[in-house]
Amino acid sequence: MTDAITIKNLTYSYPEQGQLFDNFSLSIQEGEWLSIVGHNGSGKSTLAKLILGLLDFDEGEIRVFGQKLQLETLAAIRSQVGMVFQNPDNQFVGATVADDVAFGLENRQVPSEEMPAMIEAALKQVGMAAYADREPHTLSGGQKQRVALASILALQPKVIILDEATAMLDPEGKQAVLQTLKQLKERYQSKLTLIMITHDMEEAALADRVAVIDDGRLVENEAPRALFLKGQELAALGLALPFAMALQKDLAIDQPVYRTKQELATWLSKLKA
Amino acid sequence: MVIKIEGLDFAYGAGKQSVPVLKNINVTIQKGMITAIIGQTGSGKSTLVQQLNALLKPTKGTVQIGEHVVTNKTKEKELAPIRAEVGMVFQFPESQLFAPTVLEDVMYGPKNFGATDEEAKKAAKTALKRVGFDATLYEQSPFNLSGGQMRRVALAGVLAMNPQTMVFDEPAAGLDPQGQEELLNLLKSLRDEGKTVVLISHQMDQVLALADRVLVLKDGEIAADEPVDQLFSRPQSWFAEQHLDLPETIAFQKQLEEKGFVFDGLCKTVPDLAKAIKKQLDPTKIQTLGSTISENGEANHE
């Protein structure tokens, strides 16, 4: 398997607050869906910024598809990695939804005659094609985040990083974004690597693997089904369990097994007196 | 201090261009309670709370805030005392930090309302302590802090002004579970001191755990205004119409009711729900099924 991103022996200190990462290593495989969780200030967002070369690290190396991140490769690497940020309102530059998607393509000097088809295709993939002529400020938060995703998809990245991209959305908007991500993953399979930074454990559970970061250290790194059995350890790291797992822990009637809400309800109905 | 809204309409803009947002609102925000305002994005929640400290004036109707009555004719200079009585914590308040140090940022509000440097510093330190902010970081630039720490500074900025009523718009969004819990405890302690707290939230579990009373907005109108228990006893279909979720415990409780479980009232917390479920399980079935699971380490997914 090829690594999409390889972080090796990374050392990074904040300008004023001292060391965050000391000898930090993490690999993300091509086509993998990885969630990164950890309490506020644990270093999740800083890690994303380091991968994109938005911050300079002190020692170690970051490779994106084998290419070492440095000044000379920055542009090449950024063309492969797209990022969606938390605040849907800070990501718009265009007067219309279509203009906004066009902006990134213009930056890449895509010939203008090729643009309309690319814009339409990108908006279609996030279910926003009908909104192409709308002004961004008339959209809901969930719609804005899907347009932000479309702007990135138009550039055909191999990796998309979402930094708490659903944190500001209402439940409907959040579901729409997560649904879109699932569809994209379905469509691109191993050609798309997703890295999702989140506080939401239900959301983290969608991934193939969850990395838990605590004050710059990688403390857990495994599939959600295994990770969420560690109730005590997670609580000690300031993390909550998904609802079904928290309820099972309080029921305390069997050896812990990972179950979704649906699975738990079905199982409980079998045990009913 | 009671806030009473009567016959309120509100529209952005005027004449042909005007966009109506709130229609015929009649509500009373009770003193010393936590009132939650919920509703889909675009239902008018943020516009409504901006009437509570006269950041927006009604297009029609009145808002009575303690002694002050605000109509569309009220002059701007009459509104200043209202702003001191009703503190507003906007969504993602950390985006509004501006001062070179944490301490100066929090001191800004009290100074703006006439406190001396010394008084402002004292108020700022008390407020920062209350939100659990690390005292060694007072002289740091707020922009070097993590998101969770920045949120604390922004909250302290409003607390330092010691307003009688505090409005929080999605205060826990983006915080980790521990940060969320600390914030919820802060809101409870404000209420217990007799402050009036208004909370906008999309997180129904938070509303269930905190609110005394809930206002539900739909398309700019009040769809419900009732005690929290009464609200969450409504059927799931009603919440679907409002585009709202049920709190997780209650949604799961309803899911089990469909499978024949019977509950006596609402289970507000996970431990309460676990207890109520456990009473209805068959110990022998637990033994047989429970042991098969522990032997092969797998659940029977059917």
Short mmCIF file of all heavy atoms in Angstrom, two decimals, chain B residues 166-190:
data_model
loop_
_atom_site.label_atom_id
_atom_site.label_comp_id
_atom_site.label_asym_id
_atom_site.label_seq_id
_atom_site.Cartn_x
_atom_site.Cartn_y
_atom_site.Cartn_z
N MET B 166 -27.77 37.12 30.49
CA MET B 166 -26.73 36.78 29.52
C MET B 166 -27.31 35.89 28.43
O MET B 166 -28.01 34.92 28.71
CB MET B 166 -25.57 36.07 30.21
CG MET B 166 -24.83 37.00 31.17
SD MET B 166 -23.36 36.25 31.85
CE MET B 166 -22.31 36.22 30.42
N VAL B 167 -26.99 36.24 27.20
CA VAL B 167 -27.48 35.48 26.05
C VAL B 167 -26.30 34.78 25.40
O VAL B 167 -25.28 35.41 25.12
CB VAL B 167 -28.14 36.44 25.02
CG1 VAL B 167 -28.66 35.65 23.83
CG2 VAL B 167 -29.25 37.25 25.67
N PHE B 168 -26.43 33.48 25.18
CA PHE B 168 -25.34 32.69 24.58
C PHE B 168 -25.83 32.06 23.29
O PHE B 168 -26.80 31.30 23.30
CB PHE B 168 -24.91 31.56 25.53
CG PHE B 168 -24.36 32.04 26.84
CD1 PHE B 168 -25.21 32.28 27.92
CD2 PHE B 168 -23.00 32.23 27.02
CE1 PHE B 168 -24.71 32.70 29.14
CE2 PHE B 168 -22.49 32.66 28.24
CZ PHE B 168 -23.34 32.90 29.30
N ASP B 169 -25.16 32.38 22.19
CA ASP B 169 -25.53 31.79 20.89
C ASP B 169 -24.57 30.64 20.59
O ASP B 169 -23.39 30.87 20.30
CB ASP B 169 -25.45 32.90 19.81
CG ASP B 169 -26.09 32.46 18.50
OD1 ASP B 169 -26.40 31.26 18.35
OD2 ASP B 169 -26.27 33.33 17.63
N GLU B 170 -25.04 29.43 20.68
CA GLU B 170 -24.23 28.22 20.42
C GLU B 170 -22.88 28.26 21.16
O GLU B 170 -21.83 28.14 20.53
CB GLU B 170 -23.97 28.05 18.92
CG GLU B 170 -25.17 27.73 18.10
CD GLU B 170 -25.63 26.28 18.27
OE1 GLU B 170 -24.94 25.48 18.94
OE2 GLU B 170 -26.70 25.97 17.73
N PRO B 171 -22.90 28.42 22.47
CA PRO B 171 -21.62 28.63 23.18
C PRO B 171 -20.71 27.41 23.18
O PRO B 171 -19.50 27.56 23.35
CB PRO B 171 -22.07 28.95 24.61
CG PRO B 171 -23.40 28.29 24.75
CD PRO B 171 -24.04 28.39 23.39
N ALA B 172 -21.26 26.21 22.99
CA ALA B 172 -20.42 25.02 23.13
C ALA B 172 -19.94 24.48 21.79
O ALA B 172 -19.18 23.52 21.75
CB ALA B 172 -21.18 23.93 23.88
N ALA B 173 -20.37 25.10 20.68
CA ALA B 173 -19.98 24.58 19.36
C ALA B 173 -18.47 24.56 19.23
O ALA B 173 -17.80 25.53 19.55
CB ALA B 173 -20.60 25.42 18.25
N GLY B 174 -17.94 23.43 18.80
CA GLY B 174 -16.50 23.33 18.58
C GLY B 174 -15.68 23.05 19.82
O GLY B 174 -14.46 22.92 19.74
N LEU B 175 -16.32 22.95 20.99
CA LEU B 175 -15.56 22.61 22.20
C LEU B 175 -15.52 21.10 22.38
O LEU B 175 -16.43 20.39 21.99
CB LEU B 175 -16.21 23.24 23.44
CG LEU B 175 -16.19 24.76 23.56
CD1 LEU B 175 -16.81 25.18 24.88
CD2 LEU B 175 -14.77 25.30 23.46
N ASP B 176 -14.45 20.62 23.02
CA ASP B 176 -14.37 19.18 23.29
C ASP B 176 -15.31 18.85 24.47
O ASP B 176 -15.83 19.75 25.12
CB ASP B 176 -12.93 18.77 23.57
CG ASP B 176 -12.31 19.49 24.74
OD1 ASP B 176 -13.04 19.86 25.68
OD2 ASP B 176 -11.09 19.70 24.72
N PRO B 177 -15.56 17.56 24.72
CA PRO B 177 -16.56 17.20 25.74
C PRO B 177 -16.30 17.83 27.09
O PRO B 177 -17.23 18.29 27.76
CB PRO B 177 -16.45 15.67 25.82
CG PRO B 177 -15.91 15.26 24.51
CD PRO B 177 -15.03 16.38 24.03
N GLN B 178 -15.03 17.88 27.49
CA GLN B 178 -14.72 18.48 28.79
C GLN B 178 -15.04 19.97 28.79
O GLN B 178 -15.65 20.49 29.73
CB GLN B 178 -13.24 18.25 29.10
CG GLN B 178 -12.93 18.41 30.57
CD GLN B 178 -11.43 18.45 30.80
OE1 GLN B 178 -10.66 17.91 30.01
NE2 GLN B 178 -11.02 19.11 31.85
N GLY B 179 -14.66 20.64 27.72
CA GLY B 179 -14.95 22.07 27.59
C GLY B 179 -16.44 22.33 27.58
O GLY B 179 -16.93 23.29 28.17
N GLN B 180 -17.20 21.43 26.92
CA GLN B 180 -18.65 21.58 26.87
C GLN B 180 -19.25 21.45 28.26
O GLN B 180 -20.12 22.21 28.65
CB GLN B 180 -19.27 20.49 25.98
CG GLN B 180 -18.84 20.63 24.55
CD GLN B 180 -19.86 20.08 23.59
OE1 GLN B 180 -20.97 19.73 23.97
NE2 GLN B 180 -19.50 20.01 22.33
N GLU B 181 -18.74 20.47 29.02
CA GLU B 181 -19.29 20.25 30.34
C GLU B 181 -19.00 21.44 31.25
O GLU B 181 -19.88 21.89 31.99
CB GLU B 181 -18.73 18.97 30.93
CG GLU B 181 -19.54 18.52 32.13
CD GLU B 181 -19.07 17.19 32.67
OE1 GLU B 181 -18.68 16.33 31.86
OE2 GLU B 181 -19.09 17.04 33.90
N GLU B 182 -17.79 21.97 31.16
CA GLU B 182 -17.45 23.13 31.98
C GLU B 182 -18.36 24.31 31.64
O GLU B 182 -18.81 25.03 32.52
CB GLU B 182 -15.98 23.53 31.74
CG GLU B 182 -15.01 22.60 32.42
CD GLU B 182 -13.57 22.83 31.97
OE1 GLU B 182 -13.30 23.86 31.31
OE2 GLU B 182 -12.73 21.97 32.26
N LEU B 183 -18.63 24.45 30.36
CA LEU B 183 -19.47 25.55 29.93
C LEU B 183 -20.90 25.38 30.46
O LEU B 183 -21.52 26.32 30.94
CB LEU B 183 -19.48 25.62 28.41
CG LEU B 183 -20.23 26.84 27.97
CD1 LEU B 183 -19.25 27.95 27.68
CD2 LEU B 183 -21.09 26.56 26.81
N LEU B 184 -21.41 24.16 30.39
CA LEU B 184 -22.76 23.91 30.88
C LEU B 184 -22.84 24.19 32.37
O LEU B 184 -23.82 24.76 32.87
CB LEU B 184 -23.19 22.47 30.57
CG LEU B 184 -23.18 22.07 29.10
CD1 LEU B 184 -23.89 20.74 28.90
CD2 LEU B 184 -23.81 23.11 28.21
N ASN B 185 -21.78 23.80 33.09
CA ASN B 185 -21.77 24.08 34.53
C ASN B 185 -21.73 25.57 34.82
O ASN B 185 -22.35 26.03 35.77
CB ASN B 185 -20.57 23.38 35.19
CG ASN B 185 -20.79 21.87 35.24
OD1 ASN B 185 -21.94 21.40 35.24
ND2 ASN B 185 -19.71 21.11 35.25
N LEU B 186 -21.02 26.30 33.98
CA LEU B 186 -20.97 27.76 34.13
C LEU B 186 -22.37 28.36 33.97
O LEU B 186 -22.81 29.19 34.77
CB LEU B 186 -20.01 28.36 33.10
CG LEU B 186 -19.96 29.88 33.03
CD1 LEU B 186 -19.32 30.46 34.29
CD2 LEU B 186 -19.20 30.36 31.80
N LEU B 187 -23.08 27.92 32.94
CA LEU B 187 -24.42 28.43 32.70
C LEU B 187 -25.35 28.11 33.87
O LEU B 187 -26.14 28.95 34.30
CB LEU B 187 -25.00 27.84 31.40
CG LEU B 187 -24.83 28.69 30.14
CD1 LEU B 187 -23.40 29.11 29.90
CD2 LEU B 187 -25.36 27.97 28.92
N LYS B 188 -25.21 26.89 34.39
CA LYS B 188 -26.04 26.51 35.55
C LYS B 188 -25.72 27.38 36.75
O LYS B 188 -26.62 27.81 37.47
CB LYS B 188 -25.77 25.04 35.93
CG LYS B 188 -26.61 24.06 35.16
CD LYS B 188 -26.43 22.67 35.77
CE LYS B 188 -26.53 21.62 34.70
NZ LYS B 188 -25.88 20.37 35.04
N SER B 189 -24.42 27.62 36.98
CA SER B 189 -24.06 28.40 38.17
C SER B 189 -24.53 29.84 38.03
O SER B 189 -24.92 30.47 39.00
CB SER B 189 -22.56 28.30 38.47
OG SER B 189 -21.82 29.04 37.55
N LEU B 190 -24.55 30.37 36.82
CA LEU B 190 -25.09 31.72 36.61
C LEU B 190 -26.58 31.75 36.97
O LEU B 190 -27.06 32.67 37.62
CB LEU B 190 -24.89 32.15 35.15
CG LEU B 190 -23.45 32.48 34.72
CD1 LEU B 190 -23.35 32.63 33.22
CD2 LEU B 190 -22.95 33.74 35.41
#
